[in-house]
Amino acid sequence: MIDQGPHHQDLAHIRGLMERSTRFLSLSGLSGMFAGVVALLGALVARERYEELILASGGIGLRGAGEGARYLESHVLTTAWDLVLLAALVLVLAVSGAAWFTWRRARRTGQGLWDPSARRLAWNLAIPLVSGGLFCLAMLWHGNVALVAPATLVFYGLALLNASKYTLDEIRWLGISEVVLGLLATAWVGAGLLFWALGFGVLHIVYGGLMWYRHESHGNDAP
Amino acid sequence: MIDGLNKAFESRVRLGIMAVLVVNDWVDHAVLKDLLAVTDGNLASHLAALDALKYVQVRKRFVGKRPNTSYKATPAGAKAFRAHLDAIDQLLNKDLRQ
């Protein structure tokens, strides 16, 4: 008679190693929730300025020649670049907070923060994300403001989708949700900020909460 | 001995090594050591055994000034490992059916 116990254990051991060596599993749900809250605050700050921007771009649409139109055009660009700065600030805050929560979790689970799986995750996230960022800057550069918000959501979603092969499964669904939201946003160009708040704020909080509940709450944070 | 189970994978460390190598490209010695939580000597002797069977490929080179050793599963090694897993699987399923 063969003892089945060791074989069961072997399979579990093998499965665990395959997962841990390819996927970065220490990503913390709290990272997502923190980033979501920062994004919502950023959206609140941006709201007033953004309304101004929409009004001003409407003014350019009137095709007025001369002083007024030129003033409006330069005004749109200044406001747009202000928003870019604000967005960059939100991004830096969100990313550093997220990194901190994930660092904390990685230390607890004993998986390094910068092991090969983490590097693979970062790399696969960065390629579509940086391409998207540069593309959006190019759109701003050409004064094409309308599709910036939808494009950021779509690119971010695709970046997450690409990175999801190397981390927790929830990231895949977060990515798909961001892409769908970004495509929807193309139909309501004026509501870009609302979609931003939904995509970067609400979705992060929802999925971050889900990840936290599934993997970190009630002590199932197994090393 | 049961059909299909490979004696080369009787050790848990060797199972672990192959599990990591079949799902990754070149893996550094240090990374492997960390993942499996074994000593250098232990890891080296199991890797030598797998190398002798041509189940793993060894690459030694210099990264900057430091020597770096990394490993990769050969196609034959990956095939043998998968066959071993299938054998374990069958064994467990047969037991469930009885």
Side-chain angles (χ1 to χ4, degrees):
Chain A
M1 189 61 220
I2 312 122
D3 183 12
Q4 305 292 327
H7 290 305
H8 263 299
Q9 281 173 13
D10 280 352
L11 277 188
H13 177 64
I14 289 166
R15 230 171 256 136
L17 276 169
M18 284 173 155
E19 283 259 290
R20 258 187 304 143
S21 65
T22 49
R23 291 172 178 239
F24 183 74
L25 300 175
S26 307
L27 198 64
S28 171
L30 295 177
S31 295
M33 290 164 85
F34 178 80
V37 171
V38 172
L40 282 183
L41 290 177
L44 276 178
V45 175
R47 201 168 72 175
E48 280 172 34
R49 283 185 166 275
Y50 197 77
E51 276 164 4
E52 224 175 290
L53 180 68
I54 292 294
L55 287 177
S57 25
I60 292 179
L62 293 176
R63 286 182 159 274
E67 288 293 306
R70 223 165 294 141
Y71 165 76
L72 276 177
E73 197 164 349
S74 72
H75 186 67
V76 169
L77 280 182
T78 332
T79 319
W81 286 112
D82 275 2
L83 276 172
V84 171
L85 278 182
L86 177 69
L89 186 73
V90 167
L91 187 72
V92 168
L93 258 176
V95 169
S96 19
W100 187 75
F101 280 113
T102 291
W103 172 76
R104 230 179 47 147
R105 181 159 185 232
R107 208 180 38 173
R108 205 166 47 223
T109 57
Q111 187 176 25
L113 187 63
W114 203 233
D115 65 1
S117 70
R119 280 201 289 271
R120 204 156 12 191
L121 170 64
W123 194 236
N124 281 282
L125 184 74
I127 295 172
L129 202 60
V130 171
S131 320
L134 292 176
F135 188 82
C136 291
L137 283 178
M139 286 204 285
L140 283 177
W141 185 265
H142 293 290
N144 192 339
V145 187
L147 287 177
V148 168
T152 52
L153 286 168
V154 170
F155 275 110
Y156 179 56
L158 292 176
L160 289 177
L161 199 60
N162 195 44
S164 66
K165 295 185 288 267
Y166 306 103
T167 186
L168 302 173
D169 278 336
E170 286 86 352
I171 295 299
R172 185 179 149 74
W173 292 103
L174 175 61
I176 291 172
S177 312
E178 300 280 5
V179 172
V180 169
L181 198 66
L183 292 177
L184 282 178
T186 57
W188 289 278
V189 163
L193 189 67
L194 176 69
F195 280 96
W196 254 349
L198 283 176
F200 293 110
V202 176
L203 282 181
H204 275 149
I205 294 174
V206 169
Y207 279 91
L210 190 69
M211 279 161 63
W212 179 82
Y213 177 75
R214 282 195 185 159
H215 305 286
E216 294 162 73
S217 64
H218 40 263
N220 52 4
D221 207 352
Chain B
M1 202 60 231
I2 312 104
D3 283 338
L5 284 185
N6 192 333
K7 278 200 97 139
F9 300 130
E10 264 176 13
S11 134
R12 178 165 271 222
V13 178
R14 287 189 208 172
L15 271 183
I17 292 171
M18 291 309 288
V20 174
L21 294 187
V22 291
V23 290
N24 285 284
D25 208 14
W26 292 101
V27 178
D28 283 358
H29 188 90
V31 171
L32 213 47
K33 192 183 141 193
D34 255 15
L35 277 168
L36 300 172
V38 288
T39 62
D40 270 320
N42 194 353
L43 184 60
S45 76
H46 284 298
L47 278 165
L50 290 171
D51 186 29
L53 289 164
K54 300 262 184 292
Y55 281 177
V56 299
Q57 244 175 300
V58 186
R59 181 180 70 186
K60 289 177 195 248
R61 54 171 191 176
F62 280 85
V63 176
K65 282 186 176 169
R66 303 183 60 192
N68 168 280
T69 310
S70 40
Y71 308 93
K72 187 181 172 167
T74 62
K79 205 176 147 200
F81 180 67
R82 295 230 155 82
H84 182 77
L85 287 192
D86 285 345
I88 296 182
D89 213 35
Q90 273 179 9
L91 193 70
L92 293 175
N93 284 332
K94 196 161 61 185
D95 189 57
L96 284 178
R97 261 177 276 147
Q98 273 169 2

